[in-house]
Amino acid sequence: MVYVANGERYSNMKYNRCGNSGLMLPAISLGFWHNFGYNESFENMRRMVFTAFDCGITHFDLANNYGPPPGSAEENFGRILRQDMRPYRDEMVISTKAGYRMWPGPYGDGGSRKYLLASLDQSLKRMGLDYVDIFYSHRPDPNTPIEETMYALDSAVRQGKALYVGISNYNREQTEKAYDILRELKTPFVVHQPSYSMFNRWIETDGLKDYANQIGIGLVVFSPLAQGLLTTKYLNGIPEDSRIGKRTGFLSEKDLTKEKLDKIVALNEIAKKRGQTLAQLALVWVLRDGKVTSALIGASRPEQIVENVHALDNPVLSQEEIEAIERILNG
Ligand SMILES: NC(=O)c1ccc[n+]([C@@H]2O[C@H](COP(=O)([O-])OP(=O)(O)OC[C@H]3O[C@@H](n4cnc5c(N)ncnc54)[C@H](OP(=O)(O)O)[C@@H]3O)[C@@H](O)[C@H]2O)c1
């Protein structure tokens, strides 16, 4: 590969087994939710993909609606694959999803068979792929029988358009139902994608984290940096080129409360004592007990990816550090 931020290669990447499956995923994966739409620099996207791959990140996470506009992240990734990455296809795990509003009318949203299978065909076309490695139901749909959504995932595999399937944003109870159906169908259901970070611990209280481990399903956790809050970038105000500063609508000034900022400052002190950045500490924390397969980060520039993978240079938190972090988070 040609571009690596600061000419760096990273060889400490760890690959974790995704649940009980044969699939190995990197401890850190890269997502395309932000910074891969038409309004961004294509050259920066290429550099981020190359940097990630050179750092051992083999898993790239997309969804039909990533952009803006929806579909553009898959199209841009397709362009990068075509131009540069095609020879490496078998070294990559590419995932996509359907579940949020994608096109007008009653068939462009939710969990119906009609929507999911049409959307997967569109995603494959945009990326120029014959199959994705993982196809997800992006969110539970209360208006569609869960059997229908799960049968659609199963069909995607049987049609050869996905190797594995996953679900995202399903709570523990919904996951139990999905698991029972997919187990009966013998569908390769290997992964769940929930949100999880020091600021967002719902998978612990809901029981999903333990349940996924109990049934042997991998956990690829998204927004482990709380969309950038768990870094040092907001310590001295709001940079214009940050996710809050860019006013994407997904993270706003209101999310940066005084209470949160105090916690960010205190957590940063722990990170410094470990010789890490706060972003690195936040990643080590989600991976701390071996129950999470991969921390799914986003990035706006290649240097962030390099910084983040270096979290794995110092991956073990001591009991004292874990307790000190608990005190800050509960304080
Ligand atoms: N399944 C779902 O429903 C769902 C929902 C959301 C996300 N996801 C997936 O998860 C992926 C990650 O989500 P996310 O982007 O919210 O994750 P995140 O890792 O919590 O936040 C990423 C953002 O943090 C900032 N950042 C990253 N590394 C940094 C560093 N070292 N120093 C300073 N700032 C840093 C960048 O924002 P700046 O722009 O401020 O630089 C970056 O875009 C998405 O791309 C998507 O694939 C899935």
Side-chain angles (χ1 to χ4, degrees):
M1 284 282 96
V2 260
Y3 292 102
V4 178
N6 309 322
E8 177 145 10
R9 270 171 190 276
Y10 185 74
S11 56
N12 255 358
M13 181 54 71
K14 190 171 171 241
Y15 298 92
N16 295 320
R17 188 164 298 282
C18 189
N20 290 341
S21 77
L23 183 66
M24 306 294 282
L25 292 178
I28 294 174
S29 303
L30 180 67
F32 286 58
W33 179 30
H34 286 261
N35 307 310
F36 284 87
Y38 284 152
N39 51 348
E40 304 288 337
S41 145
F42 183 66
E43 196 45 33
N44 190 48
M45 293 173 212
R46 286 179 82 216
R47 291 183 62 231
M48 289 203 282
V49 171
F50 299 165
T51 300
F53 193 61
D54 278 354
C55 286
I57 293 181
T58 51
H59 177 28
F60 299 97
D61 181 73
L62 293 104
N64 58 354
N65 61 333
Y66 291 172
S72 59
E74 286 182 334
E75 280 177 8
N76 280 323
F77 185 55
R79 214 174 132 197
I80 295 169
L81 284 172
R82 234 180 5 261
Q83 287 182 10
D84 309 289
M85 298 293 285
R86 179 67 64 194
Y88 306 97
R89 171 66 183 97
D90 292 340
E91 297 178 44
M92 293 188 274
V93 169
I94 300 168
S95 56
T96 194
K97 324 181 187 79
Y100 285 92
R101 164 69 58 197
M102 186 58 196
W103 63 82
Y107 317 119
D109 197 357
S112 71
R113 179 177 188 80
K114 169 82 176 157
Y115 169 48
L116 258 54
L117 294 178
S119 178
L120 177 55
D121 281 342
Q122 292 185 15
S123 291
L124 292 175
K125 206 175 280 176
R126 281 190 289 268
M127 292 190 279
L129 294 173
D130 301 325
Y131 69 94
V132 287
D133 297 280
I134 304 170
F135 183 49
Y136 285 96
S137 162
H138 208 157
R139 62 169 166 175
D141 174 3
N143 300 314
T144 298
I146 190 166
E147 288 79 6
E148 178 173 337
T149 306
M150 296 306 121
Y151 288 176
L153 292 181
D154 183 73
S155 294
V157 173
R158 303 216 183 263
Q159 291 171 3
K161 293 173 182 169
L163 301 185
Y164 303 92
V165 302
I167 58 177
S168 180
N169 299 306
Y170 284 56
N171 66 24
R172 180 197 160 126
E173 202 185 324
Q174 293 157 336
T175 302
E176 281 182 34
K177 288 191 186 135
Y179 175 68
D180 287 345
I181 298 163
L182 293 171
R183 192 179 45 176
E184 197 149 304
L185 294 169
K186 298 197 181 343
T187 317
F189 168 41
V190 300
V191 64
H192 194 308
Q193 187 178 124
S195 57
Y196 186 46
S197 73
M198 289 200 271
F199 284 162
N200 171 12
R201 301 174 71 169
W202 76 272
I203 63 170
E204 294 175 5
T205 45
D206 173 72
L208 175 64
K209 187 176 171 185
D210 287 334
Y211 178 67
N213 275 264
Q214 186 195 315
I215 62 173
I217 298 296
L219 286 172
V220 170
V221 301
F222 72 79
S223 301
L225 305 177
Q227 298 200 50
L229 291 180
L230 287 165
T231 70
T232 49
K233 70 166 26 138
Y234 296 113
L235 284 180
N236 302 305
I238 295 173
E240 255 177 48
D241 62 352
S242 64
R243 193 172 292 184
I244 295 184
K246 284 197 245 174
R247 302 191 186 282
T248 57
F250 293 100
L251 189 69
S252 77
E253 271 180 89
K254 278 191 280 172
D255 298 304
L256 190 63
T257 56
K258 161 92 174 60
E259 195 199 347
K260 269 217 173 110
L261 200 51
D262 289 346
K263 290 183 178 171
I264 293 167
V265 170
L267 291 167
N268 190 38
E269 289 308 310
I270 296 185
K272 281 200 255 175
K273 275 194 214 137
R274 286 172 52 78
Q276 286 190 317
T277 65
L278 178 52
Q280 291 168 342
L281 175 69
L283 294 171
V284 165
W285 185 88
V286 297
L287 295 165
R288 70 196 179 286
D289 55 11
K291 291 185 176 175
V292 163
T293 315
S294 185
L296 175 53
I297 60 161
S300 61
R301 59 207 72 153
E303 292 74 11
Q304 292 176 342
I305 296 170
V306 173
E307 176 185 330
N308 295 347
V309 293
H310 274 283
L312 302 175
D313 295 345
N314 184 8
V316 179
L317 288 174
S318 69
Q319 196 50 39
E320 293 77 56
E321 286 168 330
I322 289 175
E323 283 165 15
I325 291 169
E326 282 301 321
R327 280 194 296 277
I328 293 168
L329 296 179
N330 297 328

